[in-house]
C-alpha cells in the first residue's frame, strides 16, 4: 500500500485481485502451451533412401533441426548457425562431386 501510494487498503486489494487473476490465467496458459519443450521435427512418410541420397536427406534434416533450435535457443544460436553453414557447404560439395561423376 505504501509503495503504491494508496491511502485506502481497498484500492491496493483491487490491484492484488487483478494480479492474482492474471497470474492464474498465465499459469493455465503456460500449462496448456509449454514453451520450454523443444520443437518437434516434421516426420516424413517417404521411405528412407540409402547411399549418398540417404546421407543428403540426413544432412538436410539435421540442418532443419538446427535452424529450429537456433530460433528458440539464444545461447546456442551462434554455434548452431555455424554448424548449419558447415552442413550447407558439405551438401554443396556432395552435389558438385555428384555432378562431375
Amino acid at each position: 500500500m505504501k509503495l503504491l501510494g494508496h491511502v485506502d487498503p481497498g484500492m491496493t486489494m483491487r490491484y492484488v485481485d487483478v494480479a492474482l487473476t492474471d497470474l492464474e490465467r498465465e499459469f493455465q496458459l503456460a500449462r496448456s502451451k509449454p514453451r520450454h519443450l523443444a520443437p518437434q521435427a516434421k516426420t516424413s512418410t517417404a521411405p528412407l533412401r540409402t547411399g549418398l541420397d540417404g546421407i543428403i536427406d540426413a544432412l538436410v534434416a539435421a540442418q532443419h533441426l538446427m535452424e529450429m533450435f537456433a530460433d528458440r535457443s539464444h545461447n546456442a544460436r551462434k554455434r548452431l548457425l555455424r554448424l548449419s553453414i558447415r552442413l550447407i557447404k558439405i551438401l554443396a560439395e556432395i552435389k558438385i562431386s555428384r555432378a562431375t561423376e
Side-chain angles (χ1 to χ4, degrees), residues 12-87:
T12 305
M13 290 307 293
R14 288 186 199 165
Y15 286 101
V16 171
D17 288 340
V18 170
L20 291 176
T21 305
D22 291 341
L23 181 62
E24 184 177 349
R25 183 188 67 239
E26 291 301 320
F27 175 75
Q28 295 300 333
L29 180 64
R31 286 186 67 198
S32 67
K33 298 179 181 177
R35 296 180 199 159
H36 66 281
L37 297 177
Q40 298 297 314
K42 296 176 184 173
T43 55
S44 173
T45 57
L48 295 177
R49 299 191 298 176
T50 58
L52 194 55
D53 290 331
I55 293 171
I56 291 172
D57 292 346
L59 289 172
V60 169
Q63 181 188 7
H64 174 71
L65 282 173
M66 284 186 288
E67 288 172 0
M68 284 176 41
F69 282 107
D71 289 342
R72 296 186 66 120
S73 173
H74 298 293
N75 296 336
R77 182 177 173 77
K78 197 172 191 178
R79 290 182 186 150
L80 288 173
L81 289 176
R82 205 175 319 142
L83 188 53
S84 181
I85 290 169
R86 288 181 189 166
L87 287 178

